Amino acid sequence: MICDKRGALGGGVLMITRLLLVAFIAFVIFGIASVFYSHYIDVRSAESVIMGRNFVDCLAPEGIFDLDAYPEEEMDKMISYCGFSGDLDRIFARVIFSESDEKLATVYQGDSGALWIREIYKDSGVKLGEGLGQYEPGYFNSKEYGDYPVFVLKDSKRVDAKMNVEVLIEHE
Amino acid sequence: MREKRGELLNQVVIHLILIGIIFALFIMAVAGNVNARGIRQQIAEKQVALLIDSAVPGMSFEIREKSFGGFVHNVELRKGRLFISVDGYNSVGGYPYYSKYAVTVSRTDGKFVVSVK
């Protein structure tokens, strides 16, 4: 009688162990499956183009950038200066105003190191799978389409210049 | 002898049930992905976030409850992120949007209205 009870108890323990083992295997299978079956929709390139246009509208409304009025201490806080808030850690934006080859002003915000990540993706030539490919940043550079012709007000003089806009948006 | 056979049968039945449960869960998880609630939810969030990014003051757009191939039961803005729930699939992290204007969401007559002021 005692032996039977012990046997039943042993059977129960064995059952729980099996149940835990099966649950663990199921958990691993679902984990792997969720990675393989998940699909990522990338809109960061579109986002970078939209933000590029927003920065142009902000800095050079009517096609004129007033460098004299732009605060010196805001040169590296361009996105905040334009009034954008939110998760700014994933954005790097840089705007360069230049006359011929001479730089008149550079305003920017964000970690320029993010450009290195993009370079790695671009230069590696390795086609990354969807899992890793989703970490490739979205990028816009107005140079590809032709920089914006603007006027820059500097030292109360109006200078013909080009406005180069670069926006990089990282994974959210 | 008979008891041992019975025990063996019991074990086999239990194993089959467990394997059945695992397969059922697996099929349900895969069906969920094929059904693509998550993808629809992702599309909804990202499309609306891009609209907010490019919106200027005075603009507003409507999201009907029956849209994105399902039922949108919540649209929310929180800490610079947009959260949209489609067909019971709740957004975990949301999607960030960038706007220098005040953006609000209101729910009226079976639709959500996102306004930029």
Side-chain angles (χ1 to χ4, degrees), chain A residues 53-95:
Chain A
R53 196 201 61 187
N54 284 343
F55 296 137
V56 173
D57 288 344
C58 160
L59 296 171
E62 320 278 323
I64 300 167
F65 173 61
D66 193 347
L67 182 58
D68 296 334
Y70 193 94
E72 188 74 32
E73 64 276 10
E74 297 287 334
M75 288 289 187
D76 59 347
K77 299 180 191 76
M78 186 261 285
I79 304 173
S80 306
Y81 174 78
C82 283
F84 292 96
S85 56
D87 186 6
L88 299 182
D89 289 343
R90 63 189 280 262
I91 295 191
F92 168 73
R94 180 166 56 195
V95 178

Side-chain angles (χ1 to χ4, degrees), chain A residues 22 39 41 47 82 87, chain B residues 14 22 42 46 95 98 100:
Chain A
V22 169
H39 183 73
I41 295 157
E47 224 176 333
C82 283
D87 186 6
Chain B
I14 288 162
I22 291 169
Q42 237 189 101
K46 289 177 180 177
Y95 196 77
Y98 300 97
K100 52 183 177 177

Side-chain angles (χ1 to χ4, degrees), chain B residues 30-93:
Chain B
V30 173
N33 279 308
V34 172
N35 189 24
R37 283 186 308 161
I39 291 171
R40 275 185 271 154
Q41 184 261 340
Q42 237 189 101
I43 290 170
E45 271 184 358
K46 289 177 180 177
Q47 278 188 351
V48 177
L50 290 182
L51 279 171
I52 294 173
D53 286 354
S54 51
V56 291
M59 277 176 78
S60 65
F61 34 90
E62 296 173 356
I63 304 158
R64 288 186 198 152
E65 280 180 346
K66 282 182 186 172
S67 55
F68 298 108
F71 186 82
V72 178
H73 58 87
N74 195 26
V75 178
E76 203 180 340
L77 299 169
R78 228 185 305 138
K79 290 179 183 173
R81 283 179 174 262
L82 172 73
F83 297 81
I84 297 183
S85 308
V86 181
D87 281 343
Y89 195 96
N90 293 317
S91 176
V92 181

Side-chain angles (χ1 to χ4, degrees), chain A residues 4 18 27-28 33 37 49-50 52 56 69-70 73 78 86 100 125 130 139-140 145 160 164:
Chain A
D4 275 356
R18 277 181 190 153
F27 184 75
V28 171
Y37 282 98
V49 174
I50 291 169
V56 173
Y70 193 94
E73 64 276 10
M78 186 261 285
S100 303
E130 197 173 291
Y139 183 71
F140 167 72
Y145 311 95
D160 274 318
N164 173 252

